[in-house]
Amino acid sequence: DRPVLVQYAEWIGRVARFDFGRSFAYDRPVRELVTERAGNTALLATVALVVATLIGVPLGVLTGARRRGFASTVIRTSSIALLSLPPLLTSLLLVFIAARTGWLPIGGMQSLGEQAGSIGDIALHMVVPVLAIGLPMAAMLERLQSQSMAEVIGQPFVRASLARGVPRTRAVWRHALAVAIKPVASMYGVIVGSVLSGSFAVEIVTAWPGLGRLMLDALRTRDIYLVAGCAATGAVILATGTFISD
């Protein structure tokens, strides 16, 4: 038998090359499985992040610039409600609505039939999981952007532009937003981590074939190498998001 230290050094070298061996359950290299499923998770998380940004940032500018009013009150209340719901409950609620109405598919990544695998079919299956991940994230961005905008809107340079006759809309969206967006952008590393953790629960509920579902299957079958590969991939994604944010 080889010394334990030699075996440990070899294992560290394999991990550094992202080589976790073969999966017990799938009888395939862990690297291939993780790469395949990570692409599905990345697709879901990227679309959810874009949707959350397009919804949350403009609403945060609106509520931050206008602290009073019916619209601002409704937006703030909705954001607090969405932040109070974990992604698991949000996804269950959306799946229930989709099942009751029949408007959207309730699970999987594609349908069975002629349209299976088409862009339209995949996009239709993405609606429920994207909303389940994106709506709470949009609420988080709205709260962050609202607080930042409320602080910037009272700064002297904004008041000076208004005193010179610049329309309020232009002063808010061109001058104040350029400064107020920076604290929100610096939080994207944390947001990437929340997207990853939230997508795992959503993938399990909606049967989306991503890293979350792969991790659950690996835990059920006690596939240690596959669990290690999924965990390492999640750590790399989180570290990358934090590095880009910095």
Side-chain angles (χ1 to χ4, degrees), residues 2 4 20 28 31 59 67 87 108 123 133 142 145 151 162-164 166 180 184 226 230 234-235:
R2 291 177 299 172
V4 176
F20 291 91
R28 290 177 56 190
R31 181 163 53 186
L59 292 181
R67 305 294 294 177
I133 300 173
E142 186 276 326
Q145 186 63 71
E151 295 175 355
L162 293 174
R164 290 196 300 268
V166 177
V184 179
L226 187 54
C230 293

Side-chain angles (χ1 to χ4, degrees), residues 114-173:
E114 297 180 357
Q115 299 297 325
S118 64
I119 297 177
D121 182 52
I122 295 176
L124 196 62
H125 281 77
M126 288 181 63
V127 174
V128 171
V130 163
L131 290 179
I133 300 173
L135 288 179
M137 192 171 13
M140 181 192 306
L141 289 173
E142 186 276 326
R143 290 288 78 212
L144 292 173
Q145 186 63 71
S146 178
Q147 181 180 0
S148 179
M149 179 59 70
E151 295 175 355
V152 173
I153 201 70
Q155 294 296 321
F157 73 94
V158 179
R159 294 183 179 272
S161 63
L162 293 174
R164 290 196 300 268
V166 177
R168 181 177 176 85
T169 302
R170 182 178 180 182
V172 169
W173 288 97

Side-chain angles (χ1 to χ4, degrees), residues 3-72:
V4 176
L5 289 178
V6 174
Q7 298 180 28
Y8 183 74
E10 292 179 353
W11 184 81
I12 292 295
R14 291 174 58 188
V15 170
R17 298 190 303 271
F18 211 76
D19 181 11
F20 291 91
R22 298 184 68 85
S23 167
F24 301 147
Y26 293 89
D27 193 24
R28 290 177 56 190
V30 171
R31 181 163 53 186
E32 293 182 4
L33 283 169
V34 170
T35 303
E36 177 184 315
R37 298 295 185 91
N40 296 336
T41 297
L43 174 64
L44 187 64
T46 301
V47 176
L49 185 60
V50 171
V51 170
T53 302
L54 294 177
I55 294 175
V57 171
L59 292 181
V61 173
L62 177 63
T63 55
R66 299 184 181 275
R67 305 294 294 177
R68 299 179 181 179
F70 177 76
S72 298

Side-chain angles (χ1 to χ4, degrees), residues 140-225:
M140 181 192 306
L141 289 173
E142 186 276 326
R143 290 288 78 212
L144 292 173
Q145 186 63 71
S146 178
Q147 181 180 0
S148 179
M149 179 59 70
E151 295 175 355
V152 173
I153 201 70
Q155 294 296 321
F157 73 94
V158 179
R159 294 183 179 272
S161 63
L162 293 174
R164 290 196 300 268
V166 177
R168 181 177 176 85
T169 302
R170 182 178 180 182
V172 169
W173 288 97
R174 293 194 60 180
H175 301 290
L177 181 59
V179 178
I181 196 68
K182 293 180 180 179
V184 179
S186 66
M187 292 295 294
Y188 263 79
V190 179
I191 293 173
V192 168
S194 66
V195 170
L196 181 64
S197 60
S199 67
F200 279 14
V202 172
E203 286 175 5
I204 294 171
V205 173
T206 60
W208 183 267
L211 276 178
R213 191 165 184 83
L214 185 64
M215 173 74 87
L216 178 63
D217 294 340
L219 290 171
R220 284 176 174 174
T221 58
R222 298 183 180 180
D223 195 339
I224 301 175
Y225 295 150

